Amino acid sequence: MLTTIQQRDAELVVAKNNAEKARERLAEINAMLEEANRTLEAKVAERTVELHKAMTAARDANQAKSSFLAKMSHELRTPMNAIIGYAEMLIEDATDRADAGAIADLRKILSAARHLLGLINDVLDLSKIEAGKMDLYIESFDVCTLVHDVIPTAQPLIDRNKNQLKVDCPENFGTMRADATKLRQILLNLLSNASKFTEEGVVSLEVTRDQTGPREMIVMRVSDSGIGMTPEQMGRLFQVFSQADKSTSAKFGGTGLGLAISRQFARLMGGDITVTSKMGEGSAFTIRIPSEVAPVKATPDGETAAPAKETSTPAAVAAAPVPTPASPPRRGRVLIVEQDEVVTTMLQDLLGREGYLATVARNSEEAVARAREISPHVVILDIQLPGADGGNLLTQLKTHPLLANVPFVMLTLSDNAKGGLAFGAADCVTKPIDGPRLLAILAKYSAARSENSIMVVEDDAPTRNMIVRLLEREGWPALQADNGKVALALLEQHTPSVILLDLLMPELDGFAVLRAMRAHAVWRDIPVVVLTSLDLTAEVRGFLEQQAERVLQKGSYSRDELLREVRDSVEEFMRRTGRSNPPFHSRPTAPASILS
Amino acid sequence: MAKILLVEDNEMNRDMLGRRLEKRGYQVAIAADGPTGLALARSGSPDLILMDMSLPGIDGWEASRQLKADPATAAIPIIALTAHAMAEDREKALAAGCNEYETKPVELTSLLAKIELLLPKKPGA
């Protein structure tokens, strides 16, 4: 019995010792873990700093690349300017002397110089695309007119290899909204490729609409009966500086950049270019572009916010931008000056759902830049931006000519509300933001400024008064400007639904007004009806055709007829833009009808 | 005969463009930098100015702004010439008061059309 107890005691002592050892070991491990943890945290911090440095370096490098290319393009263009210009001059002189030998040689210089210039432009285009700096200029145009515009340029290439060009574009095909210049460039590239690789064959261009998908697509198919390609060649086709094989450039010329650029342009517009080909039988390139391309603005940090590419997978369809007709009516443009991303995201969501276009700026410089782009109807300003005195910031922005007449809504903590109003804010909203209250305030200010007015820009007072009276009789309020300068000043404050524009005016003429408008992010969407007594040359008419919705020549009408034409045009545009909604980033489809 | 003031610092471009314009019957005055351009614009009463944008001394943007701010020269149409094909440069030129914009290398037909469009119209046109 006693031995049993002694045995137990001994066992207990052993067990106790073991437990003691285990605890010591645990403490040791714990210390080690703590140490490892500390090291790890230090390492993570270290790596984060390194990563941050690497990212900054990469961004700087990318920026350096962009500015290098911009500078290079300038440096390269200047001598090209001289080479092309002198060659043209010498050809003029040689033509005067009828010196056929010199003309032929000089033409070779000119052609090589133009080729080199094309190369420079291609490289520049490509670098702009890569840097996310390629803008789209979206406009409405007649599809077949564009197609037929390209043909005269493509024809010499087609003829060179004794090919035949077949174009199939139904006359009443209609219009699309896209970047016409880029589409023209794509078409020209594909047609020139097709004719390069085809001899005594047929190059065809066929234009159709595809309405089977979620978005209507315009399909342009360029096919040839040329040499065709193997699958491997097709795989490399759209890569930069890549041609079907090394000998291609020697035999057929070209830079290997054209297709890469064309595809990037198509993708930028939310479409794509695809190819099918069979060795020895020919190739077919298919361009698919949405009939309504969503606008893309190059972003300053280089990431181009391109619209989702058209594909048939359900996820991509859901992510595709909503076509214009389905989006809610545009209520106005709001500039949000705020640094807190949580707040800006929330505000953009809220305002976007309600049909406002909300743009964010993080400081006063950005605010002025954005204001220049969008001419906001209302500014929402956080008065507690770090590093800035809210009152000062408000005064500074309010006194800027661009924003002087724009109502400011302040975001404040409750005790600052009075301060904001004292500095000239129109209203105050306290944080956390009460959504419905903010919307009610915005509705008040943007409604006051969104108008159905028509601007009449005409220096001849009797004509102007006559038109204004006519418009008012029809129930359309008119804004009046007696020259272009006044018109542009008025545009800073108002967004009329239609502008009636005379061409010859003192101070600033109608041409300059059109140019300024079309270069402006918001004004360029306002339809313009040109009224002129000028006898237009083809050149001028071509320019106006691109820049204005309609041209009415005063001399071709009696007074009553002219007034009727004005009224009909205005009515048409008002109806198209929706009379309750001012035009907003949606240039109406308008075949430019020119009366000469 | 219309008088055109050509402000351009690159000698070759100046010579070439000047000669080509003269060949087409324009009277051409030449300035190689911004200050000379401003002086000739004020004293020579040109009908139109072709202004290179990257000039030494006073650049083309600044020179255009000064000419457009001065009532004596504000009415003279200015066509900006620049080697930059970027849209922002065009906007910058228009913002400086230039009436038109031509990218280098200059396409002569296009430039001539713009010149004709901007030259003061004869009365009654």
Side-chain angles (χ1 to χ4, degrees):
Chain A
M1 175 78 172
L2 195 67
T3 46
T4 329
I5 291 170
Q6 280 170 334
Q7 253 176 356
R8 278 282 160 80
D9 271 353
E11 279 168 21
L12 270 176
V13 169
V14 172
K16 198 182 141 207
N17 283 344
N18 282 347
E20 199 66 38
K21 270 184 206 148
R23 210 174 57 212
E24 275 166 23
R25 183 85 189 114
L26 260 177
E28 243 170 66
I29 290 172
N30 209 16
M32 275 162 65
L33 269 176
E34 270 173 15
E35 176 58 29
N37 207 12
R38 261 196 302 277
T39 322
L40 196 63
E41 272 171 12
K43 280 237 166 85
V44 167
E46 204 175 290
R47 287 288 144 81
T48 310
V49 171
E50 277 170 21
L51 258 177
H52 191 77
K53 271 190 201 154
M55 244 173 65
T56 314
R59 205 178 295 144
D60 288 352
N62 199 34
Q63 219 136 59
K65 187 183 93 172
S66 295
S67 61
F68 169 76
L69 280 162
K71 179 119 178 64
M72 274 310 280
S73 99
H74 172 90
E75 298 299 328
L76 293 170
R77 277 164 178 276
T78 304
M80 289 314 297
N81 193 16
I83 296 171
I84 291 175
Y86 278 105
E88 282 176 357
M89 264 170 83
L90 288 172
I91 290 175
E92 282 165 19
D93 292 346
T95 311
D96 290 347
R97 295 194 312 270
D99 182 349
I103 294 175
D105 288 345
L106 287 166
R107 279 197 195 287
K108 283 176 201 153
I109 296 178
L110 189 61
S111 142
R114 288 209 173 118
H115 178 76
L116 187 53
L117 183 65
L119 212 66
I120 295 169
N121 289 339
D122 277 359
V123 172
L124 190 67
D125 273 355
L126 211 59
S127 68
K128 267 206 238 169
I129 294 170
E130 275 183 2
K133 293 217 159 106
M134 186 57 84
D135 276 332
L136 286 183
Y137 180 78
I138 308 286
E139 58 186 323
S140 272
F141 53 87
D142 185 76
V143 177
C144 283
T145 308
L146 179 127
V147 166
H148 287 285
D149 279 352
V150 173
I151 293 170
T153 322
Q155 196 66 50
L157 301 161
I158 303 275
D159 294 342
R160 193 176 302 159
N161 280 353
K162 302 193 180 66
N163 289 312
Q164 227 191 313
L165 178 64
K166 274 193 190 161
V167 179
D168 182 10
C169 184
E171 202 135 298
N172 52 358
F173 188 85
T175 60
M176 71 185 290
R177 282 176 57 74
D179 189 320
T181 314
K182 296 196 172 61
L183 185 54
R184 213 174 280 135
Q185 200 174 328
I186 296 174
L187 265 181
L188 204 58
N189 178 259
L190 294 187
L191 286 172
S192 117
N193 273 352
S195 45
K196 222 182 267 175
F197 298 104
T198 309
E199 266 171 56
E200 294 180 36
V202 181
V203 174
S204 18
L205 167 58
E206 186 193 357
V207 186
T208 51
R209 272 176 205 272
D210 177 5
Q211 291 167 321
T212 55
R215 307 166 73 192
E216 187 190 54
M217 305 296 278
I218 304 293
V219 183
M220 299 185 173
R221 192 165 181 273
V222 177
S223 52
D224 63 61
S225 58
I227 57 174
M229 283 173 288
T230 64
E232 296 80 65
Q233 288 173 333
M234 277 196 281
R236 288 198 304 271
L237 203 59
F238 290 101
Q239 287 167 21
V240 174
F241 281 117
S242 155
Q243 290 181 321
D245 70 59
K246 293 256 162 63
S247 60
T248 306
S249 52
K251 186 169 168 199
F252 297 101
T255 62
L257 288 175
L259 269 180
I261 292 173
S262 293
R263 173 174 258 182
Q264 295 291 351
F265 280 173
R267 289 186 171 172
L268 212 55
M269 288 191 266
D272 204 353
I273 299 179
T274 50
V275 61
T276 54
S277 182
K278 224 168 175 186
M279 198 69 190
E281 288 179 21
S283 310
F285 288 82
T286 308
I287 317 164
R288 296 169 60 81
I289 307 275
S291 59
E292 294 262 341
V293 171
V296 171
K297 187 85 186 146
T299 53
D301 57 358
E303 286 146 38
T304 299
K309 193 174 140 260
E310 186 243 3
T311 87
S312 51
T313 59
V317 169
V322 187
T324 326
S327 43
R330 291 301 191 177
R331 314 222 3 213
R333 298 175 293 272
V334 179
L335 176 62
I336 303 167
V337 188
E338 165 69 274
Q339 283 177 344
D340 185 343
E341 250 180 74
V342 179
V343 178
T344 55
T345 312
M346 189 278 276
L347 283 177
Q348 278 191 306
D349 271 7
L350 176 74
L351 300 185
R353 267 202 312 275
E354 289 296 314
Y356 291 95
L357 176 87
T359 305
V360 174
R362 279 164 304 184
N363 52 44
S364 64
E365 291 88 64
E366 270 186 38
V368 171
R370 295 292 97 75
R372 183 166 288 128
E373 283 163 22
I374 66 160
S375 312
H377 294 115
V378 183
V379 177
I380 297 176
L381 172 66
D382 185 348
I383 204 162
Q384 268 108 20
L385 288 180
D389 173 343
N392 251 346
L393 184 62
L394 176 61
T395 317
Q396 193 188 336
L397 290 177
K398 272 245 64 119
T399 50
H400 195 283
L402 275 174
L403 293 167
N405 295 302
V406 180
F408 276 61
V409 176
M410 313 292 296
L411 297 180
T412 64
L413 296 171
S414 50
D415 49 348
N416 279 3
K418 280 207 181 103
L421 292 180
F423 282 115
D427 241 307
C428 280
V429 174
T430 51
K431 285 190 194 173
I433 297 161
D434 173 358
R437 180 172 140 69
L438 178 65
L439 289 176
I441 290 172
L442 288 183
K444 189 166 76 187
Y445 293 113
S446 48
R449 298 176 56 87
S450 59
E451 40 201 292
N452 286 313
S453 60
I454 293 157
M455 189 187 287
V456 183
V457 193
E458 162 74 74
D459 62 326
D460 181 47
T463 310
R464 192 176 63 239
N465 291 337
M466 184 177 80
I467 294 172
V468 168
R469 269 205 309 279
L470 168 95
L471 294 174
E472 283 173 351
R473 213 166 55 216
E474 300 288 331
W476 296 317
L479 296 161
Q480 302 184 42
D482 60 359
N483 67 52
K485 225 174 213 164
V486 175
L488 292 184
L490 273 174
L491 279 175
E492 297 281 0
Q493 321 263 335
H494 305 271
T495 308
S497 302
V498 182
I499 295 177
L500 300 176
L501 180 68
D502 185 25
L503 287 181
L504 293 184
M505 290 179 293
E507 297 276 329
L508 197 66
D509 65 18
F511 294 104
V513 172
L514 271 173
R515 271 186 295 272
M517 282 183 63
R518 295 320 183 206
H520 189 283
V522 174
W523 303 346
R524 76 172 177 214
D525 294 329
I526 305 174
V528 174
V529 177
V530 168
L531 294 173
T532 180
S533 51
L534 277 180
D535 219 4
L536 299 176
T537 63
E539 206 111 44
V540 178
R541 202 160 54 218
F543 170 80
L544 290 174
E545 207 164 332
Q546 280 178 356
Q547 304 291 320
E549 256 49 51
R550 180 157 300 170
V551 179
L552 298 177
Q553 273 186 298
K554 291 176 193 166
S556 327
Y557 300 93
S558 71
R559 206 185 95 159
D560 288 346
E561 279 171 344
L562 179 68
L563 286 180
R564 201 161 48 237
E565 284 295 324
V566 168
R567 195 189 55 212
D568 289 351
S569 303
V570 169
E571 198 164 44
E572 191 188 332
F573 292 127
M574 292 293 263
R575 201 174 50 237
R576 252 191 248 163
T577 51
R579 293 189 59 164
S580 55
N581 302 313
F584 190 80
H585 276 220
S586 58
R587 195 146 167 210
T589 36
S593 74
I594 302 292
L595 309 161
S596 49
Chain B
M1 194 198 300
K3 249 196 285 181
I4 295 178
L5 170 62
L6 172 60
V7 192
E8 158 77 81
D9 65 320
N10 182 292
E11 198 194 331
M12 276 206 279
N13 288 340
R14 202 167 58 220
D15 168 60
M16 175 188 75
L17 204 50
R19 277 162 60 191
R20 297 181 88 185
L21 290 171
E22 273 169 1
K23 197 170 169 184
R24 280 162 182 81
Y26 298 104
Q27 190 186 329
V28 181
I30 299 277
D33 56 47
T36 318
L38 282 175
L40 283 181
R42 286 172 182 141
S43 65
S45 58
D47 297 308
L48 183 139
I49 301 172
L50 296 176
M51 180 85 78
D52 181 29
M53 290 291 110
S54 38
L55 290 170
I58 299 172
D59 72 20
W61 288 290
E62 179 54 32
S64 302
R65 259 191 297 274
Q66 290 191 18
L67 290 173
K68 289 296 177 182
D70 181 351
T73 51
I76 307 174
I78 303 178
I79 300 180
L81 305 177
T82 141
H84 296 256
M86 321 252 176
E88 61 199 80
D89 285 319
R90 184 187 61 207
E91 277 165 39
K92 227 169 114 190
L94 294 177
C98 295
N99 307 64
E100 250 302 353
Y101 174 93
E102 182 75 23
T103 309
K104 293 183 188 178
V106 170
E107 212 183 286
L108 197 69
T109 23
S110 147
L111 179 64
L112 289 173
K114 285 173 185 171
I115 290 175
E116 278 308 308
L117 210 61
L118 286 174
L119 277 176
K121 308 284 181 302
K122 313 281 170 295

